[in-house]
Structures are given as structure tokens and as C-alpha cells.
Amino acid sequence: MNTGTNNSLGELVWCPQWNFAGEGPYTMAAKMLNANYLTTRYLRDTIRWKAGIGASLLNPQTNESESEPLATFGRILRQSSLASRIPNLYQVLADDRVLRYCTKCMRAGFQAAIAQIPGIDRCPIHGELHRNTCIQCGSKTPPYFLEDSSCRPGFSCRECGTPFGGDELIDRRFDTWISPGDVDRLDPIHRWLKQMDDSRQIHCLNLSSWSLTSIFSEDADEQKLRTIFRVLSSQSAGDDVPESDPENSSNIFGPYQLNQNKTSQDYTKVEYARTLFKLIGLPETWKYKSHLITPSFGVDVPTRAIVPPELHAKLILAAQFKQSPYTCGKVNYMAYFLQDVIPGILNTERFKFELPIESTAIAEGVFNAIWCAALKIAKIWNQTLIETQNGNSGQADINCLSTVDEWANRLGCWRRRSYFPIGVIKVQAPSTEEYQLYFVVS
Amino acid sequence: MYGDLMGIQSDTPESKNEQALIDKQALRTASLSEGSDRDRYLESHPLNQRPVKVLTESIKDAFLSVSAAIKFKRPGCAFSAKFRSGKSTALLMIKEQLPIVIPQVAYGLISAKDHDTVTERVFWGDLLIASGLITNGTAQDRQNRLRAAIMSACIQAGGKHFCLLIDEGQNWGMREYTFLRDLTNQLREQDGYTVTTIIFGDHRLDELSSIFREKRKDLWGRFVMKPKPFSGIRNISDLKFFLTEHDSPIRCEYPAGSGICYTEFFLPRAYENGWRLMNQTQFVWDAFTRAAAGVNRELTDIGMQWIGEAVIHFLTTQMENDVPEFSALSESWDEAVLNAQFVDSLI
């Protein structure tokens, strides 16, 4: 049946009206596969496939040998992907574990490629939150993958069948696949991302679930992506930079200029003494002695919520320096503190910071981050105690040492446990080759 | 003015018109003057291609019927065509013209295939192949893909109405038309799309219509109710209309943009001096009448194959006789009719 229409995909049912500027490969693949009643496996020869996994839609790579029309469709998918838009940054900004969507966009069968960036919390077109769960049953959205199964990407929840757009099932309603609205609103973000991609190199260290202050969080990867996004956002000003939700954010300290050619700034004696006192000076614990236990790792731990988290944080902090050969009275030279103590704390067996942490500003940044991490851990521990005392937690009795042991990495000397709750992000502008450092506590 | 003085071309509407006139004149000269250009144009002339698409009264009538069926969103209409009357070409021409006249409707053209036994999977597969689409999957997958293709075509046309033109409609039976009915029902009820079906077939379509009228009123009423006759040239008036088309560059211009009609292309000097193919109507009709009489037949209807071939043969053979005072001999038309093998069709 020669319809005489402009079908750019030859043997596949396709409509040029189904492809909008800024649209990502998820909805493009969903439209093509649903319109042609094909399973995802049909694309196996077009997109490079990992057996048992499939292909990430962040970076769908085409097999050039494939014949038309699939080769054309593979190129369309590729061009619409984040890897095509920001080849250097997509891996450190975007997530492919779950689909992220705006309900209003999905109503029109549209998902912007940039929705996969967790730092972009709101849809630039509608201002709606980017979600990664079903609005009805709360199940996680499907992976941002062409999966190695009979499933095909769709527009509704796989668990309860509720449309992501909320109104009606549009998987077979081809005339509902329309423009989601003013897609030009995506342009400023595209421009900004492109500019960042062209001008920034990012190196991350110790940004993982291992480095989180809480043992309960499951979103370490998302936290990492959000943090990097925030760091990049902080590097530029203007309307083009999207705002991210501060509630989901880590604490970021920086930027600190890291110019290796400069000679380090020395601490003054006063500054040095103040810093050491703040960090290492042991708190008065006698008042709460009956509410503290000393587990095998040798650092006092509160057993009742009545112990202020700030006090507990100081105990944790002091523990980090206790194990150092340079305790308060033994450090004879200020330079040792900067050159040996701080790197000594930072360098665990698990990873090594190969950064010249010498300047006052950077050392301050590290101090602040360490204090922030200790306080966060103490607050989370305090909250755990409250929940346990109220009987709202399913955990074992907090007095039980096994529970304390579970937290040993965080409550004891971090270095001895190869744990460190501070991540480092190093951003380099290739044009100037200048580095900037950020310390992150998640 | 300074631009003109300095040899710079300006972009005013007047200058564009002037340039267009110069281009048109150059095209005319290249097409009508003896030489390699004319030889090339002659080889690729529409009258030397197949099918030859020249409007006839029958095609015009069919087009108007089809247009009315679409405009009033009727389920369809059918045409029962006589032998070699040019129904396939007519369908092609109608399909090309409809989007210009009714652009918000999407159109598809298929040729119905005959099978000893037809399954649903085969049927949808045939339609997908005719559509140039992949045939992967089950019968249901295939049907759904075709449905998606129809909706996609409608989306591109900007409406919710699809017109399916079916050639050789006599090749399908109850089973195939039932499949088609189900698809159109689904499109209407589930998706809100209207499908109008235009069926062209040979005399067996009348038989099919009778059978459906007896046994399957639903199919009869929807697809093949009272097929309209479709003929080639029925009378001298039809013939005059057909020949007149050759004399006008409105629909019979070649090369495009030259303003040269088919008659002028073959006989430029005669045409310039006022000779027109239209004026040959009686001679042509008489030549066909004589040929029919030669085998004791009465001339009722001339299939487009023979009339078309006769005209092409005449124009081609008369090219060497092209002079301002050109005058056609009735023998030339006899020869053209003979060459078209019209008589063989009557025996």
C-alpha cells in the first residue's frame, strides 16, 4: 500500500511528527517499537548489545554494518542521546538505572534526554518534577535501557499499568504522540551543558556508597550525579543554569584553587592552634558518661539520644586524629600538619589522594568537610537512637554491640577502616588548565 | 539601475519574471529543435513511458465519484471496469490528484492478490508488503502494524480519514473483505479514524457484488454496493476530450516548465500553425469503427490501451512529416489502429 507519505524510515512505520528537538532515545524507541509492534530485540543488530543486559540509552552505539532502515533509526537514536549531546559529561551527570520523566511530557509521549540528569529536578518545559517512580503505585520506572528481554520501552508503569502521563494509555494512541509544548525551553540548558562539556574536565574520587555518611541510603550513585551537577552549576551564573532541589543535595565545600605552580600558603601559629583545638580538643563527656559505651574500636558511642550529636561528632572527629603520630603536643612544625597530618587522614588503604593539599584554604576546606561529615554521622546515629527508643525501628537493640559494629566504619577511626566520608571533585578548565577542588559530604 | 549598468543582477520580481521567460524559451528551443537534447527528451517523453497518464472523461467521472465518497465520509464505492480500460492507470492518477484536492485525507493504493487459501497472516502480510513495510510477527502483529501505518499516514496528512484504493478488487473474497472490515471497524471504534474504500475491479466485481448482496449484506453495503461502470472511450465525445488533453499544456506539459503540450512536442510546426489533435476526433473514431467493422463488430467501447497506442504511433510516425501545412491522412490513423492491435482484442 503506497501511502505516498514522507516516511523517513522506509520499511518501518514512522512519522516525522513523532520526533521533537531535545527528545531522548527512550520515547523515540518506544514510539518506533510500539508503532511497528516489534520487541526490543529487533534492535539488537542495530545497537551494540551486551548479552544479558541490553543497551543503555544514555549512549546507544550503532553497528555501522546494519542495513537500512534500521541503520537510519540507529543513527536517530544515537543523535538523540545524551552521549551525542555531551560526550564528556554524560557519564558523570546522567543515570540509566531508571527512567526519569515529567508527567506532562509523557502525556504527549515525550521524554527529554536531559531528564536523565538527576540534577535537573524540574522539567524545563512544564516546571513539573522529574519523577522516577509510578505516580500510582510508587514502583520504580523501567531502566533507561533497551533491555535484553521481550519487554519494549513504554509509556506506562510495568507493575500497575498506570500511564506515566496519568490520563490515558498512549502506547497505541499514535495521534497522542505530539509536541509536549514549548520545546525551545530546553535550548538554554542544552547550550549550558554543551558549554560545560566543551570546557570542563571532571575527576571524582571517593564518591560512592562506601563514602556515604549514612548506612541506610541507597542513592549513592544519584547523590554523586547530583553533586557533580551542583558543582558544575556553581561554576556558571545566569538563567541558562537549571536549579536543582536543595533537599536532595550533599554538602559541598569549595571551590579551592589548585594551582600546582604556586607555593603553598603557610598557616600562622594562631590559625594553626585554633584549628587544632577545634579539631582535636576532646569534649567534656563526664556529664553523659552513663550513656556512652566504648566498643572494641575504642571510640565512645552514645547509647541514648540524650547525648547531643555535636558532642558525639567531636568524639568521632577526635578519633580521626588520635591515631595520627602527630597529636597536639607532638607536632613541632606547622608544615608537618599540612603536609603529613591531613594527607595522613585522607589517604586510606582504600584510595589515595594524589593532590597537593598544602594551602591554608584547602586545609580549611578539608577540616570543614571532616567536621560536617562527623556531625552528619552523629546526627544520623542520634536519629537511629530516637527511632529505636520509640520502638519504631526494626533494628536490633541499640545496646547490642553488633549494631554498633555495623556502624564501626563511621563511628570509629575512619582511616583504620578504610572508610572516608569525604569525596573530592576536581574540575579542570582545559583552556586555562587551572584546577578547582571541591570537597563533598553526602 | 546602477546594478544593471554594472552587470549585477537584481532580485526584483520583474527581473525574476524576465529570467523565467528566458529559461522557458531556452527549454522550448532545446526541446523542439533537432539535436541531441530533443532526442533525449523524446526518449523520456511521458507518452513513451508506461503507464501513460492522460485524463479521460471516465477518469474524471470516477474522480468526482471518489471525491464525493470521501467528502461525505462514505464507507466506499466500487468501479467495475471493462477489459483494458485503463483502470490501474486511472487509480494511479486519482491517487495522485486526491491529495491535491482533499489534502487532509491520507491515501493508500494496493493491488489485491488472489490466493488459493488465504490466512489472516498471509492477508496482512500481502498488505504490508504492498505498503513496503516489514512483515515480522504474528497475524495480530501484522494487522496492528498496518493499522499503525494507516494512522501514521493520517497524522502526516493532518486528519483522521484514510482512503484505501484497491485495484483488482475482484481477487478478494468474503474472507479478505471480512478482515478488511474488521480493521476499518477497529480504526473507527477504537481510534476514531474513518476509512473510505475505493475498489476497482473487472467484470467479476459485479459477480462478487451479487454474491455479497445475497450472503453478506454487511460486506456488500460497505465495499461493493452497485459498482459503477468504468470504461475507456465510450463515444466520440469521450474521444474528443481525450485528444484535447494532448493539445493543452495544463495537464500534458513536457518538459516541465516549457509550456509545450504533447501535440506540440511531436508536431511543433503544425501546432504552431494551428493544427490540433482534437480536430482529428472524427478521423480517429472512424478508423476504429472501420477496424471493428472489418471483423464484423460494432464499436461500443475502446480500451485505453488501444486508443493510447494509436495516438502515440500516429504522433511518432508523423514527426517526419511535420510542416506548418501538416494535414493528417485517414490512412495514417488506420495504420495507427492496426499497429495498436485493436482488432485482435475484438476477435
Side-chain angles (χ1 to χ4, degrees), chain A residues 335-410:
Chain A
Y336 286 164
F337 185 80
L338 292 168
Q339 290 168 9
D340 295 345
V341 178
I342 295 299
I345 293 170
L346 291 176
N347 292 335
T348 66
E349 289 175 8
R350 192 174 173 84
F351 58 88
K352 302 285 181 190
F353 282 85
E354 293 178 356
L355 300 172
I357 300 170
E358 294 164 349
S359 81
T360 308
I362 291 174
E364 281 281 0
V366 175
F367 296 154
N368 288 334
I370 290 172
W371 170 247
C372 175
L375 194 58
K376 267 192 161 185
I377 290 169
K379 282 181 176 175
I380 297 166
W381 178 254
N382 188 263
Q383 189 59 36
T384 310
L385 291 174
I386 292 169
E387 286 173 6
T388 308
Q389 283 160 16
N390 292 342
N392 296 333
S393 169
Q395 291 181 69
D397 186 344
I398 202 67
N399 288 321
C400 177
L401 285 178
S402 65
T403 310
V404 176
D405 274 350
E406 213 180 326
W407 282 78
N409 299 332
R410 289 159 176 84

Side-chain angles (χ1 to χ4, degrees), chain A residues 20-287:
Chain A
F20 299 94
E23 185 169 8
Y26 180 89
T27 42
M28 304 260 281
K31 287 172 187 175
M32 194 285 277
L33 293 170
N34 278 289
N36 288 278
Y37 288 77
L38 297 166
T39 62
T40 308
R41 285 183 182 156
Y42 186 73
L43 295 171
R44 281 176 73 155
D45 297 330
T46 313
I47 306 293
R48 281 185 212 164
W49 213 262
K50 282 184 186 170
I53 299 173
S56 169
L57 287 167
L58 289 181
N59 182 23
Q61 295 181 313
T62 52
N63 288 325
E64 292 303 323
S65 56
E66 184 58 32
S67 56
E68 297 296 345
L70 276 177
T72 300
F73 187 69
R75 281 194 292 275
I76 290 174
L77 280 190
R78 171 81 191 150
Q79 284 161 10
S80 65
S81 71
L82 271 180
S84 181
R85 196 174 285 282
I86 42 171
N88 301 314
L89 289 181
Y90 80 94
Q91 280 179 309
V92 292
L93 289 181
D95 188 5
D96 59 8
R97 291 172 305 159
V98 285
L99 168 77
R100 288 167 47 84
Y101 68 97
C102 155
T103 49
K104 286 187 176 169
C105 282
M106 269 298 187
R107 212 168 283 171
F110 177 91
Q111 190 241 11
I114 58 165
Q116 287 306 123
I117 298 176
I120 302 177
D121 288 307
R122 291 193 177 272
C123 167
I125 302 169
H126 303 106
E128 295 276 313
L129 267 180
H130 280 143
R131 300 168 186 274
N132 58 9
T133 54
C134 170
I135 51 174
Q136 182 69 28
C137 71
S139 300
K140 284 276 180 192
T141 48
Y144 197 64
F145 256 74
L146 292 172
E147 292 174 280
D148 201 11
S149 67
S150 58
C151 293
R152 66 167 77 96
F155 303 94
S156 52
C157 174
R158 285 189 186 167
E159 296 298 322
C160 69
T162 302
F164 292 138
D167 286 346
E168 56 178 339
L169 283 171
I170 60 163
D171 296 55
R172 305 280 187 267
R173 292 290 313 277
F174 311 122
D175 49 356
T176 61
W177 300 346
I178 55 173
S179 169
D182 189 0
V183 289
D184 291 347
R185 289 182 182 169
L186 298 169
D187 291 347
I189 297 176
H190 289 157
R191 274 198 302 273
W192 174 71
L193 285 170
K194 181 84 177 79
Q195 187 195 342
M196 287 292 119
D197 193 73
D198 290 344
S199 63
R200 298 289 187 277
Q201 284 183 14
I202 290 195
H203 307 276
C204 303
L205 198 57
N206 201 37
L207 286 176
S208 67
S209 58
W210 181 254
S211 63
L212 290 177
T213 48
S214 171
I215 64 169
F216 302 125
S217 177
E218 295 172 356
D219 291 333
D221 291 335
E222 188 175 318
Q223 285 274 25
K224 174 183 173 180
L225 302 175
R226 285 181 178 282
T227 303
I228 296 170
F229 184 85
R230 274 186 63 209
V231 165
L232 283 179
S233 306
S234 69
Q235 294 218 318
S236 37
D239 296 338
D240 289 1
V241 186
E243 288 179 10
S244 57
D245 187 353
E247 282 186 14
N248 298 326
S249 301
S250 311
N251 294 78
I252 299 174
F253 300 86
Y256 302 104
Q257 295 300 328
L258 184 61
N259 191 334
Q260 296 178 359
N261 296 327
K262 282 184 185 171
T263 55
S264 63
Q265 294 172 290
D266 286 341
Y267 259 151
T268 64
K269 278 186 178 177
V270 176
E271 285 170 337
Y272 166 65
R274 192 189 300 138
T275 303
L276 277 189
F277 181 77
K278 178 177 152 190
L279 291 176
I280 306 169
L282 279 171
E284 296 285 338
T285 58
W286 60 270
K287 194 176 167 187

Side-chain angles (χ1 to χ4, degrees), chain B residues 97-291:
Chain B
Q97 196 62 25
L98 280 171
I100 299 166
V101 180
I102 316 174
Q104 69 279 17
V105 175
Y107 302 91
L109 172 60
I110 54 164
S111 183
K113 280 192 178 154
D114 192 10
H115 293 284
D116 289 339
T117 51
V118 63
T119 63
E120 198 173 353
R121 192 165 185 272
V122 168
F123 177 73
W124 299 124
D126 279 348
L127 295 193
L128 287 174
I129 290 168
S131 312
L133 295 170
I134 54 168
T135 56
N136 300 39
T138 62
Q140 193 63 35
D141 290 339
R142 291 176 171 197
Q143 194 238 34
N144 282 331
R145 192 172 305 128
L146 190 73
R147 182 173 140 244
I150 289 171
M151 291 169 73
S152 152
C154 289
I155 290 167
Q156 292 185 63
K160 295 194 103 178
H161 191 174
F162 188 77
C163 175
L164 180 60
L165 302 153
I166 303 170
D167 196 11
E168 309 292 358
Q170 76 283 347
N171 285 339
W172 283 351
M174 276 184 206
R175 203 165 157 74
E176 289 94 332
Y177 282 109
T178 305
F179 294 147
L180 192 61
R181 181 206 61 184
D182 292 344
L183 175 68
T184 56
N185 281 349
Q186 195 181 6
L187 278 162
R188 190 186 64 241
E189 289 159 14
Q190 292 180 15
D191 309 312
Y193 284 76
T194 305
V195 177
T196 298
T197 315
I198 310 297
I199 300 171
F200 274 64
D202 63 21
H203 61 93
R204 286 172 289 175
L205 198 66
D206 294 319
E207 294 166 22
L208 195 72
S209 174
S210 302
I211 295 167
F212 282 5
R213 191 178 181 183
E214 290 286 314
K215 297 178 178 173
R216 291 292 299 271
K217 271 269 169 56
D218 59 329
L219 301 180
W220 178 74
R222 185 185 298 237
F223 296 118
V224 287
M225 188 170 68
K226 292 183 185 171
K228 295 176 173 54
F230 180 84
S231 308
I233 301 294
R234 295 161 292 192
N235 50 45
I236 200 162
S237 168
D238 281 358
L239 181 61
K240 187 173 185 181
F241 180 95
F242 173 70
L243 296 177
T244 305
E245 281 293 300
H246 293 74
D247 293 331
S248 164
I250 294 172
R251 283 181 291 270
C252 292
E253 180 190 53
Y254 184 81
S258 66
I260 302 169
C261 66
Y262 293 174
T263 307
E264 185 181 11
F265 184 91
F266 285 91
L267 301 169
R269 294 185 187 89
Y271 186 87
E272 191 180 12
N273 204 35
W275 190 89
R276 296 291 182 270
L277 196 59
M278 170 190 73
N279 296 329
Q280 298 293 303
T281 305
Q282 192 62 53
F283 297 117
V284 181
W285 185 260
D286 290 346
F288 275 97
T289 307
R290 281 194 295 275

